[in-house]
Amino acid sequence: RLVSVAAVAALAGTVVVGAPSAANAAPQCATANFVTQCAGAGADGAPYMMIAAANFNGTVFIWSHGIRPAINIPATLAPVGPYTITNAAEPGPLASAGDLSVVNALVAAGYGVAGSGYSRQSLNVTEALAANVELISTFKKKFPTTTKVIAWGNSLGTMHSQKLVETNPDLVDGLVLACPAANPSNAMISYFGDALYGFKAFFDPSIKVGGYSTDPATRQAEQLANIGKVLTVLGKLSAGLSSGAWPDTASPAGKALAAAGIPSRSALLLVGAMAGIPTRSKHVDGTSGPTGAAETYPLAVAPAVAILENMGTVGVAGSLLLADGELLTGGKVFDNSKTDYAARVAADRDIYSFAFSGNSAVDAMLGALAATPRETADAAALAKVPSLIGLKGEITKPTVMIAAESDEYTPASIAQWYVDSYGDQFAKAKEAAMAAAKSSRNYQAPVNKLVMLWAKTAPKYSKFTAAGSPDLSATPGAGTGHCLYTSAQWLAAAKMIANAVNTGKFPNQGPITTAAKKVGLSYDKKFRVPTFKSLA
């Protein structure tokens, strides 16, 4: 107990041990109040950090941080900028925001923590894999009593963790995948590409969906310009939400729709529907309305407002990631030359009929899309995508997954893909066990390796200003936003996976349900979200 208290005291305030050492050199370590902190640089120069206390129990959590842009973003592109490329190491969740509560609690409880900053930012699965393998080896050399390794990460970091266990199963004993970005090859390419294509088709034909320049400086200028255009369109759409006014940058097809009396918010909603963007956002629950419009607002306006808020993330991320994907593959990676957008929105046109302005308006908007030139990927570039971001998605080690129902960056569809894939995997394992039992007369049931924890979106959470607009300063609703998990939720997942790794299995449904509920999460095997529209 004394050591645990001392560990918290030592970590509070800082987790940095000076500058990282030269690549491949021994880590620089310092011990104070029973806590040892180390900093170093891997073979590729990526900085890393390791922490363990005197009561180290042999289990280390290897953290993989989420995506960071690979280019600098100026303050003129607020709220996206200012941002300067960084490869600073992170030892655990929330640490990048200066919150060390999770790291402190784990170290105090006897666990080790470690994380790399990686030598490359943005799409860096290859670099992260090498860094994590090396980091595990380095940690074990410094702390030779290490017996268990738990890989965990958020957003793109989940892809790093999953890739680590798929390629090096002997190194990892358990996983925590939060707001997972791991996905079947090009599902996320389609998600971002379809959204940008819709904006290009309706609101600004100069927006790029792909085809960025190969020259680094030119490509970066194009990315920043594209982000600026997306933000500008969003601002103009926001100003025209009530009136239905279209941006002055609208395409000829968009201007024709405006002349036909179709409000811009209906086209905005169509873009969200065809890409699969959530129709609930951090500040729009889809069921509440301002005073005087409590009944009409949820039906006519709210879905488009949610898309508007979510598109700020999707449009910016797409501008960064599609360009980076082209850089790594050597050509265009988004292709909608054969996409049937009418089929994509078929189930939505009745649900959101009022917000779409009726079926005639939907047909007119789909006609405008059909008349807009499509994007065609480079076959050679597309063939390289699986090697960069492709995963099998198999669950071979105890895994705890956390996902928000209305995450606009890494849609809940990714988690659903994992759940469905594991359902098939588990069914096959059960069939194999039954077949083996026929000869051995001893049935050995397969052990469940996946616990799916949902942050469900609350029915009502919207707040409105006196002017009747959503209050964007209000606390985001539960189950919305990207990776907005509390320290209690992170620690609950950490405790759950650590116990499973030690015992070899997860507890029965009751204890999991109770533990999840205490931190505002849900363990509900009957709950499911829609799959990716591009995979339907």
Side-chain angles (χ1 to χ4, degrees):
R1 182 178 179 183
L2 174 64
V3 172
S4 296
V5 173
V8 175
L11 279 172
T14 181
V15 288
V16 179
V17 187
S21 58
N24 273 330
Q28 298 175 356
C29 300
T31 301
N33 296 325
F34 305 102
V35 177
T36 298
Q37 302 184 53
C38 302
D44 59 1
Y48 62 78
M49 185 180 298
M50 308 185 302
I51 310 171
N55 63 338
F56 177 51
N57 60 22
T59 298
V60 59
F61 283 79
I62 302 294
W63 173 251
S64 292
H65 68 70
I67 198 164
R68 299 170 181 170
I71 63 173
N72 296 326
I73 301 176
T76 53
L77 289 179
V80 183
Y83 165 80
T84 301
I85 300 173
T86 176
N87 66 346
E90 290 182 25
L94 307 181
S96 62
D99 184 347
L100 302 177
S101 56
V102 175
V103 170
N104 285 345
L106 289 176
V107 174
Y111 297 101
V113 298
S116 171
Y118 308 129
S119 61
R120 185 186 195 279
Q121 302 310 312
S122 193
L123 299 175
N124 57 357
V125 176
T126 301
E127 293 81 2
L129 177 60
N132 283 337
V133 169
E134 183 182 7
L135 181 57
I136 292 172
S137 175
T138 302
F139 189 93
K140 288 181 176 179
K141 289 179 181 178
K142 177 61 184 177
F143 304 99
T145 59
T146 303
T147 58
K148 303 288 185 182
V149 174
I150 295 172
W152 64 337
N154 69 334
S155 194
L156 183 69
T158 62
M159 192 176 294
H160 300 160
S161 299
Q162 179 68 20
K163 193 75 171 181
L164 178 64
V165 76
E166 286 187 1
T167 56
N168 297 271
D170 56 316
L171 294 181
V172 181
D173 300 283
L175 289 167
V176 175
L177 307 178
C179 39
N183 63 91
S185 64
N186 61 350
M188 288 294 281
I189 294 175
S190 177
Y191 179 69
F192 292 121
D194 287 327
L196 284 171
Y197 172 78
F199 261 45
K200 176 186 179 73
F202 290 134
F203 307 126
D204 186 346
S206 69
I207 286 177
K208 293 182 76 68
V209 183
Y212 285 86
S213 300
T214 56
D215 176 72
T218 304
R219 182 179 60 252
Q220 178 170 330
E222 291 171 346
Q223 286 178 280
L224 295 177
N226 218 51
I227 292 172
K229 291 175 182 179
V230 169
L231 295 177
T232 297
V233 167
L234 288 172
K236 293 180 178 180
L237 287 172
S238 178
L241 274 174
S242 298
S243 66
W246 283 68
D248 54 8
T249 55
S251 66
K255 292 176 180 177
L257 293 172
I262 298 173
S264 58
R265 62 177 177 271
S266 295
L268 174 62
L269 177 58
L270 189 81
V271 172
M274 71 191 214
I277 299 173
T279 52
R280 289 183 288 180
S281 63
K282 290 191 286 290
H283 299 98
V284 182
D285 59 32
T287 57
S288 303
T291 302
E295 295 181 359
T296 57
Y297 183 88
L299 294 173
V301 183
V305 180
I307 298 298
L308 183 74
E309 184 172 21
N310 288 335
M311 188 62 194
T313 296
V314 177
V316 171
S319 300
L320 294 170
L321 293 173
L322 290 178
D324 203 43
E326 291 182 355
L327 171 65
L328 295 174
T329 60
K332 292 181 66 174
V333 293
F334 173 67
D335 193 312
N336 68 345
S337 59
K338 298 180 181 179
T339 301
D340 185 348
Y341 287 118
R344 290 275 189 93
V345 303
D348 297 311
R349 58 191 300 162
D350 290 332
I351 297 174
Y352 300 107
S353 178
F354 197 177
F356 277 139
S357 301
N359 282 327
S360 295
V362 174
D363 291 336
M365 291 185 289
L366 289 173
L369 284 178
T372 303
R374 298 297 180 94
E375 303 286 332
T376 303
D378 179 79
L382 204 56
K384 296 178 183 178
V385 170
S387 64
L388 293 173
I389 64 173
L391 294 170
K392 297 177 182 178
E394 294 180 353
I395 305 296
T396 59
K397 304 285 182 167
T399 301
V400 174
M401 189 175 298
I402 314 174
E405 182 182 353
S406 299
D407 186 330
E408 78 282 15
Y409 199 159
T410 54
S413 300
I414 299 175
Q416 191 62 58
W417 170 73
Y418 258 115
V419 171
D420 292 344
S421 297
Y422 185 65
D424 295 338
Q425 181 184 331
F426 190 82
K428 291 179 181 178
K430 191 173 182 179
E431 289 177 5
M434 293 176 69
K438 290 181 179 180
S439 57
S440 66
R441 295 186 179 183
N442 181 24
Y443 177 67
Q444 296 291 329
V447 177
N448 174 51
K449 292 185 174 69
L450 176 63
V451 167
M452 180 70 237
L453 302 179
W454 290 104
K456 293 183 179 179
T457 307
K460 288 184 178 292
Y461 53 85
S462 291
K463 305 294 182 183
F464 296 91
T465 65
S469 301
D471 184 358
L472 301 184
S473 65
T475 301
T480 68
H482 182 55
C483 302
L484 301 181
Y485 307 123
T486 66
S487 58
Q489 290 170 339
W490 280 111
L491 289 170
K495 181 179 179 180
M496 200 173 293
I497 193 61
N499 288 339
V501 164
N502 289 330
T503 63
K505 63 180 181 180
F506 289 109
N508 294 328
Q509 184 169 345
I512 298 176
T513 301
T514 300
K517 188 176 181 180
K518 285 182 178 179
V519 295
L521 297 174
S522 173
Y523 179 59
D524 184 352
K525 291 186 176 182
K526 295 183 179 179
F527 179 77
R528 66 175 292 116
V529 298
T531 55
F532 272 108
K533 291 201 171 187
S534 61
L535 300 179

mmCIF file of all heavy atoms in Angstrom, residues 97-121:
data_model
loop_
_atom_site.group_PDB
_atom_site.id
_atom_site.type_symbol
_atom_site.label_atom_id
_atom_site.label_comp_id
_atom_site.label_asym_id
_atom_site.label_seq_id
_atom_site.Cartn_x
_atom_site.Cartn_y
_atom_site.Cartn_z
ATOM 1 N N ALA A 97 -3.487 14.763 -23.393
ATOM 2 C CA ALA A 97 -4.198 15.959 -22.924
ATOM 3 C C ALA A 97 -3.718 16.392 -21.546
ATOM 4 O O ALA A 97 -4.309 17.275 -20.926
ATOM 5 C CB ALA A 97 -5.700 15.691 -22.893
ATOM 6 N N GLY A 98 -2.646 15.760 -21.061
ATOM 7 C CA GLY A 98 -2.110 16.117 -19.759
ATOM 8 C C GLY A 98 -2.799 15.435 -18.592
ATOM 9 O O GLY A 98 -2.537 15.756 -17.434
ATOM 10 N N ASP A 99 -3.684 14.486 -18.882
ATOM 11 C CA ASP A 99 -4.404 13.771 -17.839
ATOM 12 C C ASP A 99 -3.694 12.437 -17.578
ATOM 13 O O ASP A 99 -3.711 11.533 -18.415
ATOM 14 C CB ASP A 99 -5.840 13.518 -18.286
ATOM 15 C CG ASP A 99 -6.692 12.847 -17.211
ATOM 16 O OD1 ASP A 99 -6.126 12.362 -16.210
ATOM 17 O OD2 ASP A 99 -7.928 12.796 -17.386
ATOM 18 N N LEU A 100 -3.049 12.322 -16.427
ATOM 19 C CA LEU A 100 -2.281 11.126 -16.093
ATOM 20 C C LEU A 100 -3.023 10.205 -15.130
ATOM 21 O O LEU A 100 -2.418 9.309 -14.540
ATOM 22 C CB LEU A 100 -0.944 11.525 -15.479
ATOM 23 C CG LEU A 100 -0.054 12.414 -16.350
ATOM 24 C CD1 LEU A 100 1.205 12.784 -15.600
ATOM 25 C CD2 LEU A 100 0.271 11.723 -17.650
ATOM 26 N N SER A 101 -4.330 10.409 -14.979
ATOM 27 C CA SER A 101 -5.085 9.637 -13.999
ATOM 28 C C SER A 101 -5.051 8.137 -14.290
ATOM 29 O O SER A 101 -4.917 7.324 -13.361
ATOM 30 C CB SER A 101 -6.532 10.129 -13.946
ATOM 31 O OG SER A 101 -7.139 10.065 -15.236
ATOM 32 N N VAL A 102 -5.166 7.762 -15.553
ATOM 33 C CA VAL A 102 -5.158 6.332 -15.892
ATOM 34 C C VAL A 102 -3.764 5.745 -15.685
ATOM 35 O O VAL A 102 -3.605 4.672 -15.087
ATOM 36 C CB VAL A 102 -5.631 6.117 -17.345
ATOM 37 C CG1 VAL A 102 -5.509 4.642 -17.742
ATOM 38 C CG2 VAL A 102 -7.066 6.587 -17.516
ATOM 39 N N VAL A 103 -2.744 6.456 -16.154
ATOM 40 C CA VAL A 103 -1.365 6.002 -15.974
ATOM 41 C C VAL A 103 -1.030 5.875 -14.498
ATOM 42 O O VAL A 103 -0.465 4.879 -14.036
ATOM 43 C CB VAL A 103 -0.390 6.968 -16.673
ATOM 44 C CG1 VAL A 103 1.051 6.654 -16.303
ATOM 45 C CG2 VAL A 103 -0.580 6.906 -18.188
ATOM 46 N N ASN A 104 -1.378 6.889 -13.729
ATOM 47 C CA ASN A 104 -1.110 6.866 -12.286
ATOM 48 C C ASN A 104 -1.755 5.665 -11.606
ATOM 49 O O ASN A 104 -1.137 4.957 -10.803
ATOM 50 C CB ASN A 104 -1.642 8.144 -11.626
ATOM 51 C CG ASN A 104 -0.762 9.347 -11.903
ATOM 52 O OD1 ASN A 104 0.364 9.213 -12.343
ATOM 53 N ND2 ASN A 104 -1.300 10.522 -11.650
ATOM 54 N N ALA A 105 -3.028 5.437 -11.935
ATOM 55 C CA ALA A 105 -3.773 4.357 -11.289
ATOM 56 C C ALA A 105 -3.189 2.994 -11.629
ATOM 57 O O ALA A 105 -3.087 2.115 -10.763
ATOM 58 C CB ALA A 105 -5.243 4.429 -11.696
ATOM 59 N N LEU A 106 -2.796 2.802 -12.882
ATOM 60 C CA LEU A 106 -2.241 1.511 -13.287
ATOM 61 C C LEU A 106 -0.893 1.242 -12.618
ATOM 62 O O LEU A 106 -0.638 0.144 -12.115
ATOM 63 C CB LEU A 106 -2.100 1.452 -14.808
ATOM 64 C CG LEU A 106 -3.407 1.347 -15.607
ATOM 65 C CD1 LEU A 106 -3.117 1.393 -17.100
ATOM 66 C CD2 LEU A 106 -4.160 0.075 -15.252
ATOM 67 N N VAL A 107 -0.033 2.255 -12.618
ATOM 68 C CA VAL A 107 1.280 2.081 -12.001
ATOM 69 C C VAL A 107 1.130 1.849 -10.499
ATOM 70 O O VAL A 107 1.818 1.007 -9.908
ATOM 71 C CB VAL A 107 2.181 3.293 -12.289
ATOM 72 C CG1 VAL A 107 3.498 3.184 -11.533
ATOM 73 C CG2 VAL A 107 2.447 3.399 -13.791
ATOM 74 N N ALA A 108 0.228 2.581 -9.884
ATOM 75 C CA ALA A 108 0.003 2.405 -8.448
ATOM 76 C C ALA A 108 -0.512 1.006 -8.130
ATOM 77 O O ALA A 108 -0.230 0.456 -7.060
ATOM 78 C CB ALA A 108 -1.001 3.443 -7.948
ATOM 79 N N ALA A 109 -1.258 0.422 -9.062
ATOM 80 C CA ALA A 109 -1.805 -0.916 -8.849
ATOM 81 C C ALA A 109 -0.795 -2.012 -9.171
ATOM 82 O O ALA A 109 -1.110 -3.198 -9.033
ATOM 83 C CB ALA A 109 -3.053 -1.103 -9.703
ATOM 84 N N GLY A 110 0.400 -1.629 -9.636
ATOM 85 C CA GLY A 110 1.442 -2.610 -9.895
ATOM 86 C C GLY A 110 1.688 -2.943 -11.342
ATOM 87 O O GLY A 110 2.526 -3.797 -11.647
ATOM 88 N N TYR A 111 1.002 -2.268 -12.232
ATOM 89 C CA TYR A 111 1.199 -2.540 -13.657
ATOM 90 C C TYR A 111 2.280 -1.639 -14.238
ATOM 91 O O TYR A 111 2.520 -0.533 -13.739
ATOM 92 C CB TYR A 111 -0.097 -2.315 -14.437
ATOM 93 C CG TYR A 111 -1.209 -3.253 -14.032
ATOM 94 C CD1 TYR A 111 -2.229 -2.828 -13.170
ATOM 95 C CD2 TYR A 111 -1.242 -4.569 -14.492
ATOM 96 C CE1 TYR A 111 -3.252 -3.683 -12.786
ATOM 97 C CE2 TYR A 111 -2.259 -5.436 -14.109
ATOM 98 C CZ TYR A 111 -3.254 -4.989 -13.258
ATOM 99 O OH TYR A 111 -4.248 -5.848 -12.872
ATOM 100 N N GLY A 112 2.910 -2.100 -15.305
ATOM 101 C CA GLY A 112 3.828 -1.264 -16.052
ATOM 102 C C GLY A 112 3.099 -0.632 -17.216
ATOM 103 O O GLY A 112 2.079 -1.161 -17.687
ATOM 104 N N VAL A 113 3.566 0.506 -17.689
ATOM 105 C CA VAL A 113 2.988 1.166 -18.855
ATOM 106 C C VAL A 113 4.113 1.603 -19.776
ATOM 107 O O VAL A 113 5.219 1.924 -19.320
ATOM 108 C CB VAL A 113 2.116 2.385 -18.466
ATOM 109 C CG1 VAL A 113 0.930 1.964 -17.619
ATOM 110 C CG2 VAL A 113 2.949 3.429 -17.735
ATOM 111 N N ALA A 114 3.845 1.605 -21.074
ATOM 112 C CA ALA A 114 4.854 2.027 -22.045
ATOM 113 C C ALA A 114 4.162 2.444 -23.327
ATOM 114 O O ALA A 114 3.050 1.991 -23.631
ATOM 115 C CB ALA A 114 5.845 0.886 -22.320
ATOM 116 N N GLY A 115 4.804 3.321 -24.081
ATOM 117 C CA GLY A 115 4.248 3.750 -25.349
ATOM 118 C C GLY A 115 5.284 4.454 -26.188
ATOM 119 O O GLY A 115 6.224 5.057 -25.667
ATOM 120 N N SER A 116 5.116 4.374 -27.507
ATOM 121 C CA SER A 116 6.026 5.015 -28.461
ATOM 122 C C SER A 116 5.333 6.204 -29.111
ATOM 123 O O SER A 116 4.099 6.309 -29.097
ATOM 124 C CB SER A 116 6.444 4.009 -29.539
ATOM 125 O OG SER A 116 7.159 4.639 -30.582
ATOM 126 N N GLY A 117 6.132 7.094 -29.684
ATOM 127 C CA GLY A 117 5.573 8.224 -30.428
ATOM 128 C C GLY A 117 5.579 7.972 -31.923
ATOM 129 O O GLY A 117 4.967 8.715 -32.685
ATOM 130 N N TYR A 118 6.299 6.916 -32.373
ATOM 131 C CA TYR A 118 6.408 6.488 -33.761
ATOM 132 C C TYR A 118 7.193 7.475 -34.628
ATOM 133 O O TYR A 118 7.152 8.686 -34.420
ATOM 134 C CB TYR A 118 5.032 6.209 -34.376
ATOM 135 C CG TYR A 118 4.201 5.279 -33.537
ATOM 136 C CD1 TYR A 118 2.893 5.597 -33.185
ATOM 137 C CD2 TYR A 118 4.735 4.083 -33.063
ATOM 138 C CE1 TYR A 118 2.132 4.752 -32.392
ATOM 139 C CE2 TYR A 118 3.984 3.231 -32.265
ATOM 140 C CZ TYR A 118 2.695 3.571 -31.925
ATOM 141 O OH TYR A 118 1.962 2.737 -31.137
ATOM 142 N N SER A 119 7.885 6.928 -35.594
ATOM 143 C CA SER A 119 8.754 7.743 -36.444
ATOM 144 C C SER A 119 7.982 8.471 -37.533
ATOM 145 O O SER A 119 8.473 9.437 -38.107
ATOM 146 C CB SER A 119 9.820 6.850 -37.098
ATOM 147 O OG SER A 119 9.216 5.847 -37.910
ATOM 148 N N ARG A 120 6.768 7.995 -37.827
ATOM 149 C CA ARG A 120 5.933 8.629 -38.839
ATOM 150 C C ARG A 120 4.540 8.810 -38.278
ATOM 151 O O ARG A 120 4.037 7.966 -37.547
ATOM 152 C CB ARG A 120 5.862 7.764 -40.106
ATOM 153 C CG ARG A 120 5.093 8.426 -41.250
ATOM 154 C CD ARG A 120 4.910 7.480 -42.447
ATOM 155 N NE ARG A 120 4.498 8.212 -43.632
ATOM 156 C CZ ARG A 120 3.243 8.602 -43.893
ATOM 157 N NH1 ARG A 120 2.278 8.316 -43.035
ATOM 158 N NH2 ARG A 120 2.976 9.282 -44.999
ATOM 159 N N GLN A 121 3.890 9.916 -38.637
ATOM 160 C CA GLN A 121 2.527 10.165 -38.197
ATOM 161 C C GLN A 121 1.557 9.887 -39.342
ATOM 162 O O GLN A 121 1.952 9.533 -40.438
ATOM 163 C CB GLN A 121 2.390 11.588 -37.683
ATOM 164 C CG GLN A 121 3.331 11.916 -36.536
ATOM 165 C CD GLN A 121 3.301 10.896 -35.403
ATOM 166 O OE1 GLN A 121 2.237 10.496 -34.924
ATOM 167 N NE2 GLN A 121 4.486 10.444 -34.982
#
